[in-house]
């Protein structure tokens, strides 16, 4: 199956292959390098500008229906900085983090111009994610990162962070599994093997980050999709998940430890509970607009040091 195009001249231009290559690099950068990710997004923007200038196509803002929520959220953040933030608040840095909104609409424009079918998505993700996944698994087995030399008790991947590796790859893993649902049987024999191997290795790498929230997120998002698509397969997936989980629990001391930490108030959970209390205290004082996006992390020491906490001075740092 080929690539479907919107009603534009993109198919007769030189822009389509560039956008496809940049999209592929963007996916790979999402789990390897923030700098590359930003650079690729800038290049995608330039290609889009070139396309609209050359083809003189009419540009339309790609509304998705929840702009009111984005505007409201930004308004609350700005008001919080203006009226409640500390004088030294890092408001410029915090507001720059909302560049994801611009990136979102740029990608919507791209996918309005080109259409990738699910087979092509499977093939692209299988190849693009295989090498970074192998790198992360080899580093984990060897016990240290192959580039930085840092010791690894959990998979950290090219981003040198178990959390970032899990979050970035979980999105791509879920997309890949969704495409499997629709198109796996239509793949050629070689692509069935390659894509299944790539998907299994990616899933293992996410599991070995031991990031509990991501495990739950993948299961819940997959269950929601199957609920709308195929209830019988949803039941099968739930049963298989329970079987695999309890089998892994019997043989994985690390998984047993993570489960125990979830059900008991050990150090990591105690810190989370205490941070929740700090943020509730901030919310009680500034319930409407807060103290500025990200300032709760920078100023937690200010609230933590209050007498009613009665905690060691070095228990938590700003």
């Amino acid at each position: 199956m080929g690539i479907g195009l919107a009603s534009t001249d993109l198919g007769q231009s030189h822009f389509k292959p560039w956008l496809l290559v940049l999209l592929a690099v963007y996916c790979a950068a999402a789990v390897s390098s923030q700098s590359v990710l930003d650079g690729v997004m800038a290049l995608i923007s330039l290609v889009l500008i070139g396309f609209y200038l050359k083809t003189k196509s009419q540009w339309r803002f790609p509304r998705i229906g929840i702009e009111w929520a984005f505007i409201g959220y930004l308004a609350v953040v700005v008001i919080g900085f203006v009226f409640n933030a500390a004088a030294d608040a890092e408001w410029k840095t915090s507001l720059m983090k909302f560049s994801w909104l611009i990136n979102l609409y740029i990608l919507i424009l791209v996918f309005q111009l080109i259409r990738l079918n699910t087979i092509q998505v499977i093939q692209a993700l299988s190849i693009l994610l295989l090498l970074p996944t192998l790198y992360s698994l080899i580093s984990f087995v060897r016990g240290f990162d192959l580039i930085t030399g840092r010791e690894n008790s959990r998979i950290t991947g090219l981003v040198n962070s178990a959390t970032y590796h899990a979050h970035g790859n979980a999105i791509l893993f879920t997309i890949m599994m969704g495409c499997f649902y629709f198109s796996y049987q239509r793949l050629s024999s070689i692509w069935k093997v390659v894509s299944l191997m790539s998907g299994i290795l990616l899933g293992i790498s996410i599991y070995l980050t031991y990031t509990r929230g991501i495990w739950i997120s993948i299961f819940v998002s997959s269950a929601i999709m199957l609920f709308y698509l195929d209830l019988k397969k949803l039941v099968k997936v739930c049963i298989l998940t329970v079987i695999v989980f309890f089998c892994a629990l019997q043989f994985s001391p690390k998984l047993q430890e993570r489960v125990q930490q979830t059900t008991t108030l050990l150090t990591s959970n105690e810190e989370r509970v205490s941070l929740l209390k700090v943020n509730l205290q901030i919310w009680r004082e500034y319930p409407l607009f807060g103290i500025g996006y990200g300032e709760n992390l920078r100023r937690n020491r200010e609230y933590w040091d209050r007498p009613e906490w009665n905690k060691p001075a070095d228990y938590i740092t700003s």
Side-chain angles (χ1 to χ4, degrees), residues 124-148:
L125 290 179
S126 298
I127 298 302
L128 289 169
L129 299 179
L130 185 57
L131 288 179
T133 300
L134 287 173
Y135 171 86
S136 65
L137 289 169
I138 292 171
S139 294
F140 176 78
V141 170
R142 291 177 66 89
F144 60 90
D145 188 275
L146 299 179
I147 295 177
T148 65

Side-chain angles (χ1 to χ4, degrees), residues 159-232:
V159 290
N160 283 315
S161 166
T163 301
Y164 291 159
H165 178 86
H167 282 74
N169 282 283
I171 297 173
L172 299 176
F173 179 77
T174 305
I175 292 172
M176 193 174 186
M177 293 302 104
C179 292
F180 273 1
Y181 174 85
F182 291 106
S183 301
Y184 184 75
Q185 295 302 325
R186 293 191 290 124
L187 291 170
S188 65
S189 298
I190 184 66
W191 276 111
K192 282 183 179 179
V193 173
V194 171
S195 62
L196 186 60
M197 179 181 66
S198 183
I200 290 174
L201 291 176
L202 180 60
I204 292 173
S205 79
I206 294 172
Y207 163 73
L208 290 174
T209 63
Y210 298 108
T211 308
R212 295 162 292 181
I214 290 301
W215 298 344
I216 296 171
S217 298
I218 290 175
F219 175 77
V220 171
S221 60
S222 301
I224 291 173
M225 288 190 291
L226 286 174
F227 176 78
Y228 287 103
L229 295 171
D230 193 327
L231 285 176
K232 290 183 179 180

